[in-house]
Amino acid sequence: MKKKFMLGAVIFACYFVFLVALLPVRFILSFAELPEDIKLYGVSGTLWQAKVDKVSVQGQLIEKVEIETKALSLLTFDPKIHIQFGDDLLPGPQGSLILSGLLADITIRDLSIYTNANLIAQVLPAPIPIFAHNSVSLTMDEFVMGAPVCQLANGLAQWDKAKVTALEDSVNLGALSATIGCEKGQLAVTINDDNDLGLSFKTLVGANGSVTGSGFLKPGTEFPEKMKPLLSFLGNPDNRGRYRLVF
């Protein structure tokens, strides 16, 4: 009798899971309360496979989002959701990731993003208007959400052909890279100082998307000649020849 009850419970649980998974994802999202700065457009499909034409995050568009939930992960009550977005022919970022831990600590693994460098440059304060060229790649082995932003983060950002245009002059900056970690709950992005600019800088992303950063610019022999006139906008160097950068 006990075995029959257990078998019936398992069958019912499986049936319930698959029934929910077949519900239209638009119906499920109607019960979800998304943050005000995130908006979805053109949602279709089910929990198994869904599509979103566009996602707006703080005014930035992510297009052609495809979502797939692995069936076996539903039975473990830890759904693993594979997400792909973007396209070579579309503006905006493109990439993929695996999302899990929806019932506990939300975790992102195997994150890979390629995006226009200027999309990033326009949200960072700068002493003068600049336009950033080419693409930035971001890879993240693991990111665990926490308060205010993260519990764990392990990633790398690379801008291999860094180039900016400022005051009508275009300047090649060489290669720039940054490590991504988590410090006291804030997402920390630290630029590796082995670069032509002599730039060392750390950016912290905290609660409600607040961004702070500090570091130094120490021009060396590889510092681009065209950028030297711009140093006057940074004030005076210290006794080690470094220009303080803060925002």
Side-chain angles (χ1 to χ4, degrees):
M1 185 69 179
K2 187 175 181 179
K3 289 183 179 180
K4 288 183 178 181
F5 174 79
M6 291 297 296
L7 179 60
V10 170
I11 293 174
F12 175 79
C14 292
Y15 174 76
F16 177 78
V17 167
F18 283 97
L19 181 65
V20 171
L22 291 173
L23 287 172
V25 70
R26 289 187 61 167
F27 174 78
I28 296 170
L29 285 174
S30 67
F31 295 95
E33 186 174 343
L34 296 175
E36 291 184 0
D37 56 358
I38 297 179
K39 299 185 184 301
L40 308 180
Y41 304 94
V43 179
S44 62
T46 67
L47 276 184
W48 292 123
Q49 288 187 318
K51 293 183 179 180
V52 183
D53 291 340
K54 295 181 181 181
V55 179
S56 175
V57 181
Q58 295 183 341
Q60 298 291 337
L61 284 182
I62 302 172
E63 300 192 51
K64 196 179 178 182
V65 181
E66 299 180 354
I67 305 166
E68 180 183 0
T69 303
K70 295 303 181 182
L72 291 179
S73 69
L74 288 173
L75 299 177
T76 65
F77 297 99
D78 183 18
K80 288 182 174 54
I81 302 172
H82 291 230
I83 301 174
Q84 290 187 314
F85 52 90
D87 189 284
D88 287 336
L89 302 179
L90 293 172
Q94 60 176 299
S96 61
L97 60 97
I98 299 174
L99 182 66
S100 62
L102 300 182
L103 302 178
D105 297 323
I106 295 178
T107 301
I108 295 173
R109 290 188 174 88
D110 298 333
L111 171 67
S112 176
I113 298 177
Y114 296 88
T115 189
N116 189 302
N118 199 51
L119 290 177
I120 300 173
Q122 296 312 304
V123 300
L124 298 176
I128 58 172
I130 64 170
F131 183 90
H133 299 265
N134 301 320
S135 297
V136 172
S137 66
L138 168 65
T139 57
M140 186 86 73
D141 293 334
E142 187 174 17
F143 172 84
V144 182
M145 291 185 66
V149 176
C150 58
Q151 298 181 47
L152 173 69
N154 180 18
L156 177 67
Q158 292 180 290
W159 188 10
D160 290 330
K161 297 179 180 179
K163 180 180 178 180
V164 297
T165 296
L167 302 180
E168 299 183 354
D169 273 331
S170 294
V171 183
N172 293 313
L173 306 180
L176 294 172
S177 65
T179 56
I180 301 172
C182 186
E183 295 184 9
K184 297 181 180 179
Q186 298 184 96
L187 188 68
V189 182
T190 305
I191 294 178
N192 300 321
D193 58 9
D194 183 19
N195 57 72
D196 293 349
L197 292 176
L199 175 65
S200 57
F201 198 85
K202 177 183 289 187
T203 301
L204 296 173
V205 181
N208 301 317
S210 63
V211 179
T212 59
S214 64
F216 294 95
L217 183 67
K218 185 179 181 180
T221 57
E222 300 298 323
F223 191 81
E225 192 68 29
K226 287 185 176 181
M227 289 194 66
K228 289 182 179 179
L230 304 180
L231 294 174
S232 60
F233 290 94
L234 302 178
N236 296 318
D238 63 15
N239 56 10
R240 297 171 59 183
R242 303 178 305 172
Y243 292 84
R244 179 72 170 167
L245 303 173
V246 179
F247 66 77

